[in-house]
Amino acid sequence: MRTVLLIIQKEFIQVFRNRMMLPLIFVVPIIQLLIIVHAATFEVKDARICVVDHDLSTTSRKLVSTFEASPFFQVLGYSADYKEAEKLIRANKADLILSIQAGFEKQLLRERYGQVHLSINAINQQAAGVIQAYSMMIIRDYNRQLIVDWIGRSTPAQARMIPVEYAYWFNPELSYINFMVPGILVLLVTIIGLLLSAMNIVREKEIGTIEQINVTPIHKYQFIAGKLIPFWILALLELAFGLTLGKFLFDIPMVGSLWIIFMTAAEYLLVVLSYGLFLSTVTNTQQQAMFLAFFSMMIFLLMSGLFTPVESMPAWAQEFNRINPIAYFIRIMRMVLLKGSGVSDILKPFLSLGVMALTTLLLTVWRYRKTV
Amino acid sequence: MAESAVVTENLSKHFGAVKALDDISFKIGKGELFGFIGPDGAGKTTLFRILTTLLLPDGGKATVEGFDTVSEYRQIRRISGYMPGKFSLYHDLSVEENLRFFATIFGTTVSENIHLVQDLYSQIEPFRKRKAGKLSGGMKQKLALCCALIHQPVILFLDEPTTGVDAVSRKEFWEMLNRLRRQQITILVSTPYMDEAGRCDRVALMQSGKIMTIDTPQGIRQQFRKKILAVKGRDMFGLMKILEGFPEIERSYLFGQSLHVTGVSEALTADDLSARLRQQQAPDFRVEEITPDIEDCFIDLTATRE
């Protein structure tokens, strides 16, 4: 026990003596939360429309002005020629073309049927999807307005429509921030934990101090425990700091119990830190450890559902997430913070994390060799 | 030499095709100051790593204080002090912190054992708050030795402690080792410097993973039965050229300021060689017979084996 405490003490001295470390630990979360949370959003604002209106009727103009009135669209200009408008899309100056054919109004009046054409720049398919959905919504609203205007209130046409009302549970305003902050906090503790641990033992290898440690009677488990606990404490403090920032800067909901959050984090960090130390034992230079850490973090992170929903991934990817600790932790974070899930709700992912923690920990202790 | 501190029997280790240690057997007595002398790549570090239980041998066995390096490595780690060739203390910890760390990890305290290293530590004590990485080379080495001694080891492994250290510090270091020997600590030290051989009780000359000979420095010199003639002159290169052409000369090599020459037969005297050189109109030279140095013995042994 005394030996473990000794190593812990030594690690803390070294961490705090490293001039980069303290700013890193406290500045990184602030920057991450401020930048990523605001920047990484699916909302599309000010999509640029180029209008090709060959009809130039009251009806067509009304449609265009509905688009203009929407905060999501910005009319870039009018063009008489569809080819010209296409050029704007190619030059990435416009995001979509709204083209209305000549005779639109007449056809609509005569045949009760009209057509508009939308061309959307889909270089970013996600943005294109959002723009399409917004456009459809505007056109539908406009359509309904037309019916009301022309047919009048006397007809029962309106009654035939089924009104759909939406209620978004657990995130009523569909706030992107509420969705992102818990995920970003996971990202934060993962980066800090994984990098600190992955670089640690291998650093001692590079400097040569490991040689001196290895000839001492210290036990393997003492060494690993002494290495793990300091980073574990640091990462948990980091999480507390991040949660505080999230609360005060973004007022993210904290419906569930913070105890559950920290219990899960403690368990999750065991997985991350022992994986980091494992990387550290199998590599010979900090560079190798860094590459491996980044590579695995990227994969686990992008698969985890932080940015893209797991539900839309192929089946094999969803299967992969069974062994993805980040996916479990993000899920639990969102469940507890947004929904207020209790222990019984998160028991399964919690136990899965526990199994992973135990496995990686044992693997690391086993893999660490005192002989070279 | 009552009891043996270190015994190896047919110890071998290879890395791929390279034989780092080739069938090495020797015994080192308790309290001996024993030197392993040989050039880089002779296998000194590999041998030390096996003896300090950091490396497993491929063949043969070794014991340290009666403990097997493979099956009883735990006991060996408790009683031995090791100073690797590369400075391997924590650069970002202070002198004091390093010392305390290594004392505690061995389950002892600095205050309990400071008397063991008192005269050594008193030299670095003024810098005890300084980070180890900021010490000078000689200071680092003293600190490393302190850290290796702080748990009162009975045997000390020093791997090339004087490599890259200035001449004054080297001399000081050997004086410290001499004082330590009086405390009955067995000391194994490796060095590529032949001139340090004379400071050891006994030395082993190593080359390409083999031990060529083990003896006292005196004994090694006596083993060398050949006559060494030293040739000095203004134009050393010219002299070397001329000497290479003489059939009666076994070999000649540059040694400090002079050329050392051994004859094919014992009969070759300084006068003979002078006469031969004069015959070749060698300019301005002097030949004298000298007592062989350890390095002469080393060169001879190496050449004979080849």
Side-chain angles (χ1 to χ4, degrees):
Chain A
M1 196 58 214
R2 203 163 136 230
T3 318
V4 177
L5 282 176
L6 176 76
I7 305 261
I8 294 175
Q9 185 196 17
K10 186 212 93 185
E11 293 298 329
F12 269 124
I13 293 179
Q14 286 184 307
V15 166
F16 290 115
R17 206 161 273 178
N18 186 338
R19 269 193 215 152
M20 277 297 287
M21 228 52 224
L22 276 186
L24 214 67
I25 288 173
F26 290 102
V27 175
V28 165
I30 300 178
I31 294 180
Q32 272 199 338
L33 281 174
L34 286 182
I35 294 182
I36 303 185
V37 168
H38 282 297
T41 154
F42 292 135
E43 285 172 15
V44 176
K45 280 179 191 149
D46 297 333
R48 296 157 301 179
I49 313 182
C50 182
V51 180
V52 183
D53 186 355
H54 288 297
D55 194 40
L56 295 172
S57 59
T58 330
T59 320
S60 70
R61 278 190 192 136
K62 249 191 199 160
L63 176 59
V64 174
S65 61
T66 330
F67 270 95
E68 256 178 328
S70 154
F72 301 111
F73 293 98
Q74 175 205 347
V75 175
L76 188 74
Y78 298 83
S79 171
D81 185 6
Y82 185 78
K83 289 252 158 55
E84 284 298 312
E86 250 184 13
K87 272 186 198 156
L88 285 174
I89 284 210
R90 280 187 210 286
N92 203 22
K93 284 184 180 141
D95 298 308
L96 82 156
I97 305 172
L98 169 66
S99 112
I100 305 167
Q101 279 165 3
F104 171 70
E105 191 183 45
K106 261 185 211 157
Q107 197 185 19
L108 202 62
L109 283 171
R110 219 179 278 154
E111 300 170 27
R112 314 243 136 177
Y113 169 77
Q115 245 180 335
V116 292
H117 180 83
L118 288 175
S119 304
I120 303 171
N121 177 0
I123 287 285
N124 180 342
Q125 50 92 14
Q126 234 155 20
V130 174
I131 292 176
Q132 191 231 1
Y134 287 164
S135 314
M136 292 313 288
M137 224 157 7
I138 289 179
I139 293 172
R140 198 167 50 227
D141 281 351
Y142 177 73
N143 198 9
R144 193 179 303 157
Q145 195 59 43
L146 274 184
I147 296 171
V148 173
D149 283 357
W150 289 349
I151 300 165
R153 277 165 212 112
S154 55
T155 52
Q158 231 181 330
R160 270 187 248 135
M161 264 188 280
I162 300 171
V164 181
E165 300 261 328
Y166 299 95
Y168 295 103
W169 279 37
F170 311 124
N171 191 355
E173 286 139 38
L174 284 186
S175 153
Y176 196 71
I177 288 177
N178 287 354
F179 175 73
M180 278 314 274
V181 170
I184 298 291
L185 290 176
V186 171
L187 175 66
L188 184 75
V189 291
T190 311
I191 291 182
I192 294 282
L194 191 61
L195 287 189
L196 279 179
S197 56
M199 309 284 268
N200 189 278
I201 297 179
V202 73
R203 180 160 165 266
E204 294 220 17
K205 275 191 211 168
E206 269 187 3
I207 302 175
T209 45
I210 198 83
E211 187 121 320
Q212 199 88 64
I213 295 282
N214 284 347
V215 294
T216 67
I218 186 170
H219 290 272
K220 291 206 296 191
Y221 72 88
Q222 290 175 326
F223 185 72
I224 295 291
K227 288 281 179 191
L228 201 137
I229 293 168
F231 303 131
W232 192 65
I233 295 173
L234 275 179
L236 284 176
L237 285 177
E238 184 83 2
L239 177 66
F241 181 62
L243 279 171
T244 317
L245 278 184
K247 184 75 202 163
F248 286 107
L249 289 180
F250 304 109
D251 195 29
I252 52 159
M254 291 185 182
V255 185
S257 139
L258 282 180
W259 277 110
I260 301 183
I261 292 286
F262 277 94
M263 285 298 289
T264 317
E267 192 184 49
Y268 168 73
L269 282 168
L270 281 184
V271 184
V272 172
L273 294 175
S274 34
Y275 178 64
L277 290 176
F278 174 76
L279 290 182
S280 212
T281 57
V282 295
T283 50
N284 290 317
T285 64
Q286 293 192 59
Q287 201 178 39
Q288 292 170 354
M290 185 95 150
F291 272 124
L292 280 178
F294 260 108
F295 175 72
S296 31
M297 193 160 69
M298 277 299 170
I299 291 194
F300 282 115
L301 207 63
L302 291 179
M303 303 282 288
S304 70
L306 174 58
F307 299 109
T308 49
V310 176
E311 288 73 14
S312 60
M313 290 179 191
W316 61 264
Q318 299 196 24
E319 281 302 308
F320 171 81
N321 275 334
R322 278 173 189 274
I323 54 154
N324 186 349
I326 302 184
Y328 285 110
F329 190 34
I330 288 187
R331 209 161 89 207
I332 295 180
M333 278 285 264
R334 284 182 180 153
M335 278 169 84
V336 175
L337 286 180
L338 302 186
K339 207 159 105 177
S341 297
V343 177
S344 56
D345 303 310
I346 60 144
L347 199 61
K348 226 180 123 191
F350 186 83
L351 290 179
S352 306
L353 269 181
V355 172
M356 273 188 259
L358 201 67
T359 320
T360 37
L361 199 58
L362 288 176
L363 188 71
T364 307
V365 175
W366 169 77
R367 185 58 189 75
Y368 168 58
R369 298 282 151 80
K370 285 181 77 179
T371 46
V372 253
Chain B
M1 213 191 350
E3 255 181 290
S4 292
V6 179
V7 180
T8 70
E9 284 161 26
N10 311 103
L11 206 59
S12 319
K13 176 82 192 175
H14 52 80
F15 299 106
V18 182
K19 278 190 172 170
L21 287 182
D22 191 2
D23 204 19
I24 283 192
S25 305
F26 61 83
K27 276 184 184 158
I28 295 174
K30 283 195 175 158
E32 244 188 312
L33 174 53
F34 194 95
F36 289 90
I37 298 182
D40 291 346
K44 304 184 299 283
T45 299
T46 307
L47 176 64
F48 274 43
R49 286 183 148 188
I50 288 177
L51 294 178
T52 50
T53 74
L54 288 175
L55 207 58
L56 300 174
D58 293 329
K61 61 173 279 181
T63 58
V64 173
E65 293 289 326
F67 298 116
D68 186 88
T69 54
V70 178
S71 57
E72 294 167 305
Y73 66 96
R74 225 164 247 300
Q75 285 90 328
I76 296 178
R77 284 179 184 169
R78 225 166 267 288
I79 56 164
S80 47
Y82 175 44
M83 191 173 144
K86 198 174 149 201
F87 178 70
S88 52
L89 301 178
Y90 292 99
H91 292 245
D92 44 0
L93 294 188
S94 69
V95 167
E96 234 173 18
E97 285 163 344
N98 265 302
L99 199 60
R100 193 170 59 227
F101 180 78
F102 285 102
T104 317
I105 211 165
F106 277 98
T108 174
T109 57
V110 174
S111 54
E112 208 173 303
N113 285 330
I114 194 72
H115 64 274
L116 292 169
V117 290
Q118 193 54 61
D119 54 339
L120 199 57
Y121 187 62
S122 59
Q123 295 175 50
I124 47 174
E125 207 171 4
F127 312 103
R128 64 181 194 280
K129 296 275 180 213
R130 194 178 290 183
K131 284 181 199 150
K134 297 231 181 332
L135 292 173
S136 69
M139 290 290 175
K140 274 185 187 167
Q141 189 200 38
K142 279 170 195 157
L143 175 60
L145 189 57
C146 276
C147 289
L149 283 167
I150 196 66
H151 62 284
Q152 202 171 359
V154 298
I155 183 160
L156 197 55
F157 297 92
L158 310 172
D159 192 11
E160 301 204 9
T162 53
T163 302
V165 176
D166 68 85
V168 179
S169 299
R170 267 170 68 183
K171 191 162 164 282
E172 270 181 23
F173 193 79
W174 279 100
E175 279 156 14
M176 282 183 306
L177 292 190
N178 266 318
R179 281 197 292 275
L180 281 175
R181 189 168 45 158
R182 269 175 246 139
Q183 297 177 13
Q184 295 304 306
I185 298 178
T186 309
I187 303 172
L188 275 70
V189 58
S190 76
T191 175
Y193 303 119
M194 306 282 167
D195 56 319
E196 290 180 345
R199 303 234 179 214
C200 304
D201 295 330
R202 284 197 308 151
V203 293
L205 299 187
M206 287 184 79
Q207 166 81 348
S208 318
K210 285 188 186 295
I211 289 183
M212 297 187 294
T213 184
I214 297 182
D215 209 332
T216 58
Q218 200 53 42
I220 286 181
R221 283 197 203 99
Q222 280 163 6
Q223 271 180 35
F224 193 76
R225 303 210 172 276
K226 288 170 190 160
K227 212 175 283 170
I228 294 257
L229 303 174
V231 182
K232 269 190 186 175
R234 255 203 335 237
D235 178 20
M236 297 295 276
F237 188 69
L239 282 169
M240 206 152 82
K241 278 277 172 213
I242 297 169
L243 286 167
E244 268 169 20
F246 291 176
E248 63 268 47
I249 284 173
E250 188 186 31
R251 78 182 71 88
S252 65
Y253 47 88
L254 209 53
F255 195 103
Q257 299 288 314
S258 53
L259 280 165
H260 283 193
V261 178
T262 53
V264 175
S265 85
E266 285 292 304
L268 187 77
T269 63
D271 291 342
D272 294 341
L273 192 62
S274 291
R276 284 283 279 139
L277 282 169
R278 255 194 299 278
Q279 238 175 39
Q280 297 288 323
Q281 271 119 40
D284 191 21
F285 64 89
R286 202 173 71 232
V287 180
E288 60 183 341
E289 195 180 327
I290 53 158
T291 48
D293 198 88
I294 297 282
E295 194 163 342
D296 293 311
C297 310
F298 187 86
I299 288 168
D300 185 63
L301 283 165
T302 315
T304 319
R305 291 172 74 93
E306 279 164 4

